[in-house]
Amino acid sequence: MSLMFFNTLGRKLEVFKPLQDNQIRMYTCGPTVYDYPHIGNYRTFVFEDVLRKYLEFKGYKVTQVMNLTDVDDKTIRGAQKDGISLREYTTTYSKAFFDDLENLRIEKAEFYPRATDFIDDMVKFTKGLIEKGYAYTSEGSVYFDITKFKDYGKLSGLVIEQLKSGARVKVDEYKKEDAQDFALWKAWDSADKDVFWDTDIGKGRPGWHIECSVMSTKLLGQTFDIHAGGIDLIFPHHENEIAQSEALTGKKFVQYWLHSEHLIVEGQKMSKSLGNFYTLRQLIEMGHDPVAIRYLLISAHYRAPLNFTFDGLKQATASLKRLQVFYGRLQSVDGTVDNKEFEDFTNSTLKKFEEAMDADLNTPLALAALFDYVRDANRLLDGGNFSENDKKRALEVMRKIDSVFSVIQVSKDDIDKEIEELIARRNEARAKKDWALADKIRTRIYERGFILEDTHAGTKAKRITS
Ligand SMILES: [Zn+2]
């Protein structure tokens, strides 16, 4: 079996071959830390987590970089509005982002560089592009001349004739129709107030696109294996990253480009004005389980649009409960009879999981194989037709699959810890007479495979055994 990815560069399925043995270098565009990320952002981050974990499942060692954009139009405006320094402002939202990652069981990347810690490198990079004739200065800003880079458009499929030569765009985000020379360095203006750096290329701040080219090549090398992000980043962000990096180094920037599709909510594009805009913390406050949200996000293929609905979340919660209860049941049963059928089911499930995931991370197909297994295995458990070895192997396969999905629970300790925390939260809710919340938490505990018994000595959790 070989691992295949759909490479946006070239738009076809390709067999994945690392540049160097089993070492993978991967860059994933991170959040702009000016607000709480919304559920659409997390679709991308969860996809990237599954990608990373599946590479690890295949035996690769992954070095992942995810940047934090902590200087741009939005962060500057936000800090000014709150009357605090840019660093103070972005630190608050960086911390919130890391809390969210933990709630969604996203594995930590090796590096989370902040753009403002790499200003000197960005200046050096920009100077290099000026020296090579790819960039020029205009009114104190430095722009990349897209007509000089012959491959411009190769990622997004933009045709060079459409480009308006000599026209310039200073903002970071724009549409394909507005493809123009883009800002590498933005001259200070009064709206930036105290946010600027005095450098060899002038007083100002970096553009957004240059941040990612600089931090990725600095931390991963001039050519690396994988660059991932949401589909909306293909143009202009990733197109510009390629242009800057390849113009400077003369080498191929990235081998495989992977992009996840959009998330819509209840059939509509998410927007604050429609009232269907959700951050992760809002959903958690509403009583939803972040792990069920993770499950919902991986239940669709990453290259298919995902319609996030509250009905869908309810179903996801129920499906997840089936997996978790099965896992709990496996841990608590004792078997005595060797069963070839059980063994075969278990081994073929792992094989089906790997085949599905090898085919460009087909998570819905992999989950379907898992649910077939739960059904068949439950039948055999009901009849007592299994041995201790069957059980051990089944637990091992579930854990292997969950090392990628991270929704079933990994260890008994983790479950116990989580249940303890949920009981404490429920006690708090009861003390405040918030019965609705207490009930929701009880349901959450039930979904983890436990029932609660309220006794005089306190609340105890008991595992559901069938
Ligand atoms: Zn980026």
Side-chain angles (χ1 to χ4, degrees):
M1 282 185 282
S2 46
L3 177 56
M4 311 271 292
F5 288 137
F6 184 86
N7 194 346
T8 307
L9 184 64
R11 303 206 178 241
K12 60 177 190 299
L13 272 173
E14 287 175 18
V15 172
F16 177 69
K17 286 195 206 90
L19 285 161
Q20 193 198 328
D21 309 320
N22 72 333
Q23 310 281 320
I24 313 273
R25 287 166 288 153
M26 171 161 109
Y27 188 86
T28 46
C29 289
T32 300
V33 280
Y34 77 108
D35 201 348
Y36 300 111
H38 57 68
I39 189 70
N41 301 131
Y42 283 114
R43 181 188 192 189
T44 302
F45 299 142
V46 167
F47 144 65
E48 289 161 349
D49 184 55
V50 168
L51 166 63
R52 174 195 168 96
K53 286 174 177 165
Y54 192 62
L55 289 166
E56 289 172 337
F57 173 97
K58 296 291 276 183
Y60 295 114
K61 193 183 168 301
V62 179
T63 304
Q64 183 189 355
V65 177
M66 180 176 272
N67 65 301
L68 303 177
T69 297
D70 64 348
V71 56
D72 78 322
D73 300 343
K74 290 182 279 197
T75 44
I76 292 172
R77 244 184 279 131
Q80 287 173 354
K81 205 170 138 247
D82 287 5
I84 52 176
S85 73
L86 185 65
R87 191 82 187 197
E88 201 183 330
Y89 182 78
T90 57
T91 299
T92 305
Y93 291 105
S94 306
K95 278 195 185 133
F97 172 66
F98 288 118
D99 287 346
D100 284 356
L101 293 189
E102 208 163 296
N103 276 320
L104 286 170
R105 300 189 178 179
I106 290 175
E107 193 177 356
K108 279 271 169 74
E110 281 63 30
F111 299 97
Y112 288 102
R114 301 174 66 123
T116 53
D117 291 334
F118 288 79
I119 302 290
D120 287 349
D121 295 294
M122 294 179 202
V123 170
K124 222 167 103 192
F125 201 103
T126 305
K127 276 163 85 178
L129 286 170
I130 297 171
E131 277 158 25
K132 289 201 162 185
Y134 286 101
Y136 61 90
T137 305
S138 171
E139 292 169 342
S141 294
V142 181
Y143 292 91
F144 187 93
D145 181 348
I146 53 176
T147 61
K148 291 270 166 63
F149 183 67
K150 291 298 164 244
D151 281 342
Y152 196 82
K154 71 175 168 183
L155 184 72
S156 58
L158 202 66
V159 182
I160 198 103
E161 277 82 21
Q162 296 169 348
L163 307 176
K164 295 176 210 152
S165 180
R168 285 178 288 277
V169 52
K170 201 177 169 187
V171 292
D172 289 326
E173 290 172 73
Y174 50 91
K175 293 196 163 61
K176 263 191 187 182
E177 305 82 70
D178 300 319
Q180 298 168 29
D181 294 350
F182 59 90
L184 299 167
W185 185 259
K186 300 181 181 200
W188 179 84
D189 66 43
S190 56
D192 290 347
K193 292 193 181 151
D194 62 339
V195 179
F196 63 83
W197 286 263
D198 247 325
T199 73
D200 299 357
I201 51 173
K203 174 180 172 178
R205 59 182 168 100
W208 171 40
H209 313 297
I210 191 90
E211 294 178 10
C212 284
S213 283
V214 168
M215 293 188 280
S216 61
T217 52
K218 175 106 185 172
L219 294 166
L220 297 173
Q222 292 182 334
T223 304
F224 53 93
D225 299 285
I226 297 174
H227 195 314
I231 195 166
D232 52 319
L233 293 185
I234 295 177
F235 191 89
H237 188 51
H238 291 162
E239 193 70 67
N240 291 350
E241 278 190 47
I242 293 178
Q244 298 157 160
S245 309
E246 298 192 355
L248 186 74
T249 67
K251 290 179 189 152
K252 189 174 186 180
F253 178 44
V254 171
Q255 297 288 94
Y256 302 88
W257 287 87
L258 273 65
H259 291 99
S260 60
E261 260 285 351
H262 285 295
L263 175 142
I264 53 173
V265 174
E266 304 285 352
Q268 282 181 302
K269 192 170 186 266
M270 193 166 31
S271 81
K272 282 184 175 155
S273 59
L274 282 173
N276 67 350
F277 186 97
Y278 295 103
T279 62
L280 181 70
R281 55 198 51 222
Q282 276 173 326
L283 293 170
I284 293 174
E285 275 163 24
M286 287 162 75
H288 298 290
D289 175 4
V291 181
I293 294 168
R294 178 182 172 97
Y295 178 91
L296 179 61
L297 295 177
I298 64 174
S299 64
H301 188 252
Y302 78 92
R303 283 197 299 115
L306 174 66
N307 185 14
F308 181 95
T309 66
F310 285 96
D311 264 351
L313 185 54
K314 221 167 129 187
Q315 283 167 29
T317 308
S319 301
L320 185 58
K321 183 187 145 200
R322 278 195 71 202
L323 295 178
Q324 292 170 342
V325 167
F326 172 70
Y327 185 73
R329 186 181 184 194
L330 264 182
Q331 286 177 310
S332 56
V333 289
D334 297 313
T336 48
V337 197
D338 268 327
N339 188 334
K340 182 80 174 62
E341 200 187 0
F342 202 136
E343 193 187 322
D344 290 347
F345 277 153
T346 305
N347 292 334
S348 76
T349 299
L350 185 61
K351 196 166 160 261
K352 281 183 197 160
F353 166 80
E354 197 167 349
E355 276 167 2
M357 294 299 284
D358 273 355
D360 195 29
L361 307 177
N362 194 332
T363 49
L365 198 61
L367 282 170
L370 192 55
F371 278 103
D372 284 346
Y373 178 61
V374 170
R375 186 197 57 220
D376 293 335
N378 264 326
R379 180 170 54 78
L380 295 173
L381 291 182
D382 288 343
N385 281 323
F386 63 98
S387 69
E388 274 305 297
N389 276 339
D390 294 333
K391 173 183 152 178
K392 244 194 228 157
R393 176 71 180 147
L395 282 169
E396 187 191 319
V397 166
M398 292 294 282
R399 277 194 286 265
K400 266 192 169 163
I401 292 174
D402 204 42
S403 72
V404 179
F405 288 158
S406 305
V407 290
I408 305 168
Q409 292 285 353
V410 262
S411 72
K412 201 178 156 299
D413 285 353
D414 284 352
I415 303 173
D416 291 347
K417 215 178 118 217
E418 190 182 353
I419 297 295
E420 243 171 65
E421 282 168 10
L422 285 170
I423 290 175
R425 272 182 60 194
R426 179 170 170 268
N427 288 342
E428 254 172 59
R430 279 155 55 102
K432 286 185 199 151
K433 300 201 189 312
D434 186 346
W435 309 117
L437 181 63
D439 274 353
K440 268 184 189 156
I441 297 170
R442 176 191 278 273
T443 308
R444 178 90 62 83
I445 292 168
Y446 180 69
E447 285 157 6
R448 288 279 180 277
F450 287 85
I451 46 169
L452 290 182
E453 284 172 354
D454 292 315
T455 68
H456 291 298
T459 305
K460 282 203 172 92
K462 224 180 108 189
R463 181 178 288 287
I464 304 164
T465 48
S466 64

